[in-house]
């Protein structure tokens, strides 16, 4: 059994920041990630971030990953990195089991930050399992990390920010977008992204959904139809679109299996992506010593994930006797940054979700 | 179907290697996943479903969903979207659950 002060599960934006924060408080941190390369989904983000300077606004996602890795390196004496490591279990007594180099190991940390992220949702329609139908994030990985085009002509399902951004990135990679459709009567993503795409001649069809996918071994075409004001499909409005790639971009849900196994209290909160863990303002769950940060604590975006990581790492260290010398100022600053990221009409959804999550 | 020119990214490819997909030799680059290499070679069907034998391709590409399971060097249920391709690797379409032993 290996002993550490803080174990951080997941090396994406939230996990990296939690590790930096815990280590800068003086704790010994073990950072685990299943991939070879740390950075989580930042490594495929070619767009410039929003938010403020503190969350690296106007910097491209993959460059933010490098900035965070450099910061991590400043604390290398306090941080042990285990990449290519699958966390298998998180038990009620706080023991973590892992698989690394085909070996099974056990870890007993004093506190834990779970930053496992989220997974892409699927959409129900006939033949939705055909190869050629992918999560929008999957296509982003394929083209931006590996330089491989997903196909020739894409139907994007979902006009939220991910759907819009990935559509634009597909065009940058030289792939045609047949259309972007969304069941909602309005475009969910930022207008600045939507306008850019419309100017490039791509139709964005709101109040439209997929009726069925068609293809023998792989996707060959898709039938879409219009929805009325009650979201019911209207007969006779079907259109068949020739497409070999359909991207599903209808939201994400927290990857909370480990938290459920550890018996953290959960609640179904649609605004935050589904089954979501309950927590307090320090991002500690109902199980003492288990903290959360990033999308696993409620789906938002990478800017807030980073701030949540800093905050959770700071609190997880303080809990076990490693109080950062600027603990109070830092904590106040992180809370303010999160408030600002979630302010205004766009953050309304998130704020109402978070109200339901608080209270352990 | 590899991206030739990109306004933002420079793809630094690793060494060119060969591997086998259902007995057929395929070229790939070191540092890419099996699923990415297959996709670049036009292979989208990675397995067949357990009961209805429907074609399966990857869905998430980051190791969450297991739709990309294939038999790699005789081992079933390898998530090919997060497993790096290697020289001489023997990759096969997985039918159903695959055999453990």
């Amino acid at each position: 059994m290996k002993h550490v002060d803080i174990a951080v599960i997941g090396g994406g934006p939230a996990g990296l920041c939690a590790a930096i924060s815990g280590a800068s408080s003086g704790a010994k941190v073990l950072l685990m990630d299943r991939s070879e390369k740390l950075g989580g989904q930042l490594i495929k983000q070619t767009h410039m971030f929003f938010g403020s300077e503190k969350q690296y606004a106007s910097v491209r996602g993959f460059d933010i990953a490098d900035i965070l890795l450099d910061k991590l390196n400043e604390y290398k004496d306090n941080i042990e990195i285990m990449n290519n490591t699958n966390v298998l279990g998180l038990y009620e007594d706080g023991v973590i089991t892992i698989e690394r180099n085909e070996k099974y190991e056990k870890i007993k940390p004093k506190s834990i930050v779970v930053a496992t992220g989220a997974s892409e949702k699927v959409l129900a329609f006939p033949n939705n399992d055909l190869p050629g139908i992918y999560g929008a994030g999957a296509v982003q990985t394929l083209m931006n990390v590996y330089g491989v085009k997903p196909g020739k002509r894409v139907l994007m399902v979902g006009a939220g920010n991910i759907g819009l951004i990935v559509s634009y990135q597909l065009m940058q990679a030289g792939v045609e977008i047949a259309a972007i459709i969304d069941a909602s009567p309005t475009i969910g993503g930022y207008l600045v992204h939507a306008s850019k795409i419309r100017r490039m001649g791509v139709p964005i069809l709101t109040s439209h959904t997929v009726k069925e996918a068609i293809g023998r071994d792989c996707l060959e075409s898709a039938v879409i139809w219009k929805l009325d004001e009650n979201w019911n499909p209207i007969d006779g409005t079907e259109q068949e679109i020739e497409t070999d790639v359909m991207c599903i971009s209808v939201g994400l849900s927290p990857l909370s299996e480990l938290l459920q196994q550890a018996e953290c209290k959960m609640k179904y909160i649609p605004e935050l992506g589904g089954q979501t863990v309950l927590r307090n303002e320090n991002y500690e769950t109902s199980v003492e010593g288990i903290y959360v940060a990033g999308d696993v604590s409620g789906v938002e975006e990478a800017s807030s994930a980073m701030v949540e990581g800093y905050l959770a790492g700071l609190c997880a260290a303080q809990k076990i006797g490693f109080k950062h010398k600027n603990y109070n100022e830092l904590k106040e600053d992180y809370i303010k940054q999160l408030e600002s990221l979630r302010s205004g009409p766009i953050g309304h959804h998130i704020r109402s979700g978070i109200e339901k999550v608080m209270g352990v | 179907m590899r991206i030739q020119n990109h306004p933002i990214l420079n793809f630094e490819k690793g060494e060119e290697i060969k591997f086998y997909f259902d007995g057929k030799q395929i070229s790939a680059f070191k540092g890419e996943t099996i699923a990415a290499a297959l996709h670049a070679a036009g292979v989208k069907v990675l397995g067949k479903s357990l009961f209805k034998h429907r074609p399966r391709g990857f869905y998430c590409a980051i190791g969450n969903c297991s739709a990309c399971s294939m038999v790699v060097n005789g081992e079933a249920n390898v998530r090919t979207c997060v497993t790096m391709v290697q020289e001489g690797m023997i990759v096969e379409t997985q039918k159903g659950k695959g055999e453990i032993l």
Side-chain angles (χ1 to χ4, degrees):
Chain A
M1 184 96 76
K2 183 182 172 71
H3 293 266
V4 292
D5 294 329
I6 303 174
V8 177
I9 306 174
L16 288 174
C17 293
I20 293 165
S21 191
S24 68
S25 301
K28 293 276 182 203
V29 177
L30 172 65
L31 174 61
M32 293 168 278
D33 192 87
R34 65 183 174 192
S35 308
E36 169 97 23
K37 202 173 164 191
L38 295 177
Q41 305 318 310
L42 285 174
I43 63 166
K44 66 188 184 193
Q45 311 295 340
T46 53
H47 64 281
M48 293 180 191
F49 273 44
F50 283 91
S52 75
E53 210 178 311
K54 281 183 173 168
Q55 304 98 35
Y56 314 108
S58 300
V59 180
R60 298 187 194 279
F62 61 86
D63 287 329
I64 297 178
D66 286 339
I67 292 172
L68 295 178
L69 290 175
D70 285 345
K71 263 185 126 172
L72 194 75
N73 204 35
E74 286 172 30
Y75 298 101
K76 63 172 184 280
D77 294 342
N78 272 2
I79 302 176
E80 182 185 351
I81 295 166
M82 281 188 186
N83 56 350
N84 293 318
T85 297
N86 288 299
V87 172
L88 305 170
L90 173 52
Y91 292 82
E92 308 92 300
D93 56 358
V95 172
I96 296 171
T97 54
I98 64 168
E99 178 268 324
R100 185 167 67 122
N101 301 327
E102 301 194 347
K103 284 203 183 75
Y104 181 75
E105 295 173 53
K106 286 181 281 187
I107 295 152
K108 177 75 181 142
K110 291 178 190 150
S111 65
I112 298 168
V113 181
V114 177
T116 43
S119 66
E120 299 195 88
K121 288 183 183 172
V122 295
L123 194 63
F125 54 83
N127 295 329
N128 70 349
D129 61 343
L130 275 177
I133 302 176
Y134 310 112
V139 160
Q140 207 183 17
T141 299
L142 189 71
M143 64 178 177
N144 291 351
V145 179
Y146 300 112
V148 175
K149 292 185 194 186
K152 293 192 180 76
R153 195 164 194 259
V154 174
L155 175 65
M156 178 65 67
V157 182
N161 276 328
I162 295 182
L164 297 176
I165 288 171
V166 174
S167 296
Y168 187 72
Q169 293 175 2
L170 277 158
M171 290 189 272
Q172 287 181 316
V175 180
E176 186 192 351
I177 309 289
I180 302 174
I181 65 168
D182 200 303
S184 157
T186 53
I187 293 170
Y190 296 150
L191 202 61
V192 53
H193 294 313
S195 309
K196 216 163 152 180
I197 287 161
R198 286 290 279 271
R199 281 197 295 273
M200 292 173 85
V202 174
I204 302 178
L205 306 172
T206 51
S207 295
H208 276 78
T209 193
V210 181
K211 186 181 185 190
E212 62 173 329
I214 297 170
R216 226 181 110 76
D217 277 333
C218 293
L219 181 70
E220 290 162 25
S221 69
V223 178
I224 62 168
W225 53 356
K226 207 170 159 37
L227 300 176
D228 66 19
E229 62 274 21
N230 300 314
W231 299 58
N232 292 315
I234 307 168
D235 281 328
T237 61
E238 291 90 343
Q239 286 182 57
E240 188 169 343
I241 294 182
E242 192 195 323
T243 172
D244 58 341
V245 180
M246 194 194 296
C247 289
I248 307 295
S249 169
V250 296
L252 300 134
S253 31
L255 272 173
S256 57
E257 291 88 344
L258 292 172
L259 297 166
Q260 296 188 42
Q261 188 192 1
E263 299 187 344
C264 298
K265 280 188 191 150
M266 312 287 297
K267 194 173 178 181
Y268 183 75
I269 303 174
E271 295 96 321
L272 299 178
Q275 280 297 329
T276 313
V277 67
L278 301 186
R279 60 166 177 86
N280 64 20
E281 64 157 22
N282 295 339
Y283 284 77
E284 189 174 19
T285 66
S286 63
V287 177
E288 208 178 347
I290 299 184
Y291 292 75
V292 285
D295 276 356
V296 72
S297 70
V299 173
E300 286 182 76
E301 33 69 59
S303 308
S304 49
M306 288 187 273
V307 185
E308 288 181 330
Y310 284 130
L311 180 55
L314 188 78
C315 296
Q318 190 267 343
K319 176 94 180 184
I320 55 169
F322 297 96
K323 190 171 177 178
H324 195 287
K325 61 179 193 303
N326 302 322
Y327 176 83
N328 293 325
E329 296 90 308
L330 286 171
K331 191 173 167 185
E332 200 183 320
D333 178 42
Y334 297 147
I335 290 171
K336 275 202 185 130
Q337 286 187 46
L338 286 169
E339 278 172 3
S340 142
L341 285 168
R342 292 164 181 159
S343 63
I346 289 168
H348 170 76
H349 205 59
I350 297 296
R351 291 198 301 275
S352 76
I354 287 174
E355 272 171 33
K356 299 178 193 169
V357 124
M358 299 294 284
V360 288
Chain B
M1 282 194 294
R2 292 184 185 272
I3 299 170
Q4 300 304 336
N5 296 303
H6 196 282
I8 297 164
L9 296 167
N10 266 322
F11 298 104
E12 287 163 27
K13 292 190 184 84
E15 182 194 332
E16 192 171 343
I17 53 173
K18 306 270 183 219
F19 72 107
Y20 298 89
F21 166 67
D22 286 347
K24 210 175 87 191
Q25 198 183 62
I26 289 182
S27 306
F29 295 100
K30 247 188 178 165
E32 64 188 10
T33 60
I34 299 169
L38 286 173
H39 208 293
V43 178
K44 289 185 175 181
V45 181
L46 309 179
K48 290 285 160 83
S49 70
L50 180 53
F51 297 109
K52 296 193 169 173
H53 315 291
R54 290 173 64 86
R56 285 283 172 265
F58 68 80
Y59 183 75
C60 78
I62 53 170
N64 290 336
C65 75
S66 293
C68 65
S69 292
M70 298 182 82
V71 181
V72 177
N73 291 338
E75 186 187 338
N77 300 313
V78 173
R79 292 172 304 168
T80 53
C81 78
V82 289
T83 305
M84 297 298 154
V85 66
Q86 278 165 23
E87 177 71 47
M89 223 173 204
I90 297 172
V91 178
E92 295 163 286
T93 304
Q94 179 162 329
K95 295 181 180 75
K97 285 188 275 197
E99 283 173 37
I100 290 173
L101 290 172

